Amino acid sequence: MTRYRIGEGRLGAERTVVVTSPDEATRVVLALRGATLLSWRTPLRGRETELTDGYRDEAELLSQEGVRNGLLAPFPNRVADGRYRFLGREHDLLPGRHGSRTVYHGFVREAPFELVDTTTGPGSARLRLRTTRIRPGAYPGYPFSIDVEVTYLISANEIDIEIRATNLGTGPAPYAAGWHPYFSLSKPIDDLVLRIPADTVVRTDDDLIPLAGESGFLPLDQCPEMDFRKPRRVGGAVIDACFTGLETGPDGRAETVLSDPATGAELRVWQLGGFLHLFTGDTLNRNRRDSIALEPVEAITNAFNRAEFAEALRIEPGRERRFRFGVSYGCKVDDG
């Protein structure tokens, strides 16, 4: 019986893991730095197709420009002014920094991971990766002990991801996770069709920080230009926003659907809980609007500074939190 294969590779000096299907039609590459998805190649109408727009070389991976396919923890998106308050104590993620104090997407995306377990079969490969990098003193402003494990389940048409965080400290810790994948079905993204099953969008200021309280949430009935509840073309829309109130199916999944009418290719980004952040890639340094970021996240931007998220973010000592999401691929047009 032929099984999926798991091998080693390199992106410059960076170690990678290469997963190949038994028929060699599907190939997935992960960097151990950040447990980052670099490439997902699979057939589309008989042609090998790259479905994700990941880091192309070692320099890009080290620079983290665009946070391409990065796993986001212990917080997704931004923390206003790099500061937050937890259990009555002020924390500064950028001590001594003057001028721009933008901090975003946590530390895990750059942390070293180890491949601790693999399982292969004829239909899938499962990989479990772990980092123990988050410890007091490792990162300014985050004096907590968190182990993070990431499990990838890879099959011919799906990547299933679970992030598990365990609090090894003696007190509670604030924590939320997410994923920042970029998908490319056509270039540019304008002709792609998008459906987001959300009823509310988060309103932000000029620094992309959500407005305070209820003013930060706008029903999509009042904002038709951001309403993707019915599938529609992305067009020239420039969006960097979070969508809330996701509708779920009987299995508890919320599915955001991206499709290319020209080829019939379709990606379904699914998640168990949380929110969906959309970024149309307009500020990327290379290939702007060649791909679109559809980001499952556990919390909205600046949740560390919002009282309504305090309990949801908190992990007690010895407890763990899991966030599961993924993406499946299909094609409405027969390959023949």
Side-chain angles (χ1 to χ4, degrees):
M1 178 176 60
T2 307
R3 297 172 174 267
Y4 269 70
R5 299 194 308 275
I6 299 175
E8 297 181 357
R10 292 278 177 177
L11 186 72
E14 294 290 320
R15 295 171 59 202
T16 64
V17 180
V18 182
V19 181
T20 310
S21 63
D23 62 1
E24 300 187 351
T26 298
R27 185 174 184 269
V28 171
V29 182
L30 306 172
L32 290 185
R33 181 179 295 273
T36 306
L37 175 66
L38 297 175
S39 174
W40 178 22
R41 301 188 71 87
T42 196
L44 171 63
R45 302 181 69 185
R47 294 182 58 188
E48 187 180 73
T49 301
E50 178 65 65
L51 294 176
T52 185
D53 188 7
Y55 297 119
R56 293 182 173 180
D57 52 40
E58 180 186 7
E60 283 196 352
L61 175 63
L62 295 177
S63 75
Q64 292 285 298
E65 192 277 322
V67 192
R68 294 176 184 269
N69 304 339
L71 295 172
L72 316 178
F75 53 87
N77 293 302
R78 305 180 182 212
V79 176
D81 198 39
R83 296 184 173 93
Y84 66 98
R85 187 177 182 87
F86 184 69
L87 298 182
R89 180 181 173 187
E90 297 287 345
H91 298 277
D92 188 349
L93 297 163
L94 298 169
R97 174 78 64 87
H98 301 287
S100 173
R101 288 182 53 85
T102 299
V103 60
Y104 52 90
H105 297 324
F107 326 118
V108 161
R109 60 193 173 93
E110 298 184 81
F113 276 75
E114 293 184 2
L115 183 62
V116 296
D117 186 56
T118 63
T119 305
T120 60
S124 65
R126 183 185 299 271
L127 300 84
R128 186 161 58 91
L129 304 100
R130 179 188 301 145
T131 184
T132 58
R133 183 73 174 93
I134 301 178
R135 294 292 187 269
Y139 299 100
Y142 197 81
F144 307 102
S145 293
I146 302 287
D147 272 6
V148 176
E149 283 195 358
V150 180
T151 299
Y152 280 88
L153 179 61
I154 297 166
S155 59
N157 66 340
E158 185 169 29
I159 296 178
D160 179 326
I161 305 171
E162 182 179 76
I163 301 179
R164 182 177 71 179
T166 304
N167 182 0
L168 302 181
T170 58
Y175 172 89
W179 188 34
H180 202 288
Y182 290 84
F183 298 111
S184 180
L185 291 177
S186 72
K187 302 175 183 180
I189 62 172
D190 302 44
D191 289 328
L192 298 181
V193 172
L194 179 64
R195 179 183 181 271
I196 304 176
D199 61 20
T200 306
V201 66
V202 176
R203 299 174 63 205
T204 64
D205 61 19
D206 292 342
D207 295 321
L208 299 179
I209 301 300
L211 303 183
E214 291 301 317
S215 64
F217 300 90
L218 180 66
L220 287 170
D221 288 336
Q222 301 177 27
C223 189
E225 67 274 16
M226 298 283 277
D227 190 350
F228 290 90
R229 285 175 289 185
K230 292 183 178 180
R232 65 182 178 90
R233 183 173 172 269
V234 174
V238 176
I239 301 174
D240 191 348
C242 189
F243 292 77
T244 77
L246 298 180
E247 177 187 2
T248 60
D251 59 359
R253 293 186 178 192
E255 287 193 341
T256 296
V257 183
L258 181 71
S259 59
D260 182 0
T263 64
E266 181 178 83
L267 289 168
R268 292 179 175 266
V269 180
W270 58 266
Q271 58 194 98
L272 297 175
F275 310 89
L276 189 285
H277 198 103
L278 166 63
F279 173 48
T280 48
D282 302 274
T283 57
L284 294 174
N285 284 340
R286 72 155 165 86
N287 299 345
R288 297 181 182 183
R289 296 185 70 85
D290 273 4
S291 58
I292 187 169
L294 302 173
E295 311 163 32
V297 292
E298 278 193 292
I300 68 171
T301 297
N302 201 36
F304 272 34
N305 285 307
R306 297 183 73 97
E308 70 267 35
F309 280 90
E311 286 303 312
L313 294 173
R314 179 171 170 151
I315 304 181
E316 297 295 335
R319 303 298 294 272
E320 67 176 37
R321 169 98 49 76
R322 300 184 184 219
F323 185 39
R324 188 176 167 206
F325 47 85
V327 56
S328 63
Y329 164 76
C331 190
K332 294 179 179 179
V333 179
D334 291 338
D335 285 354

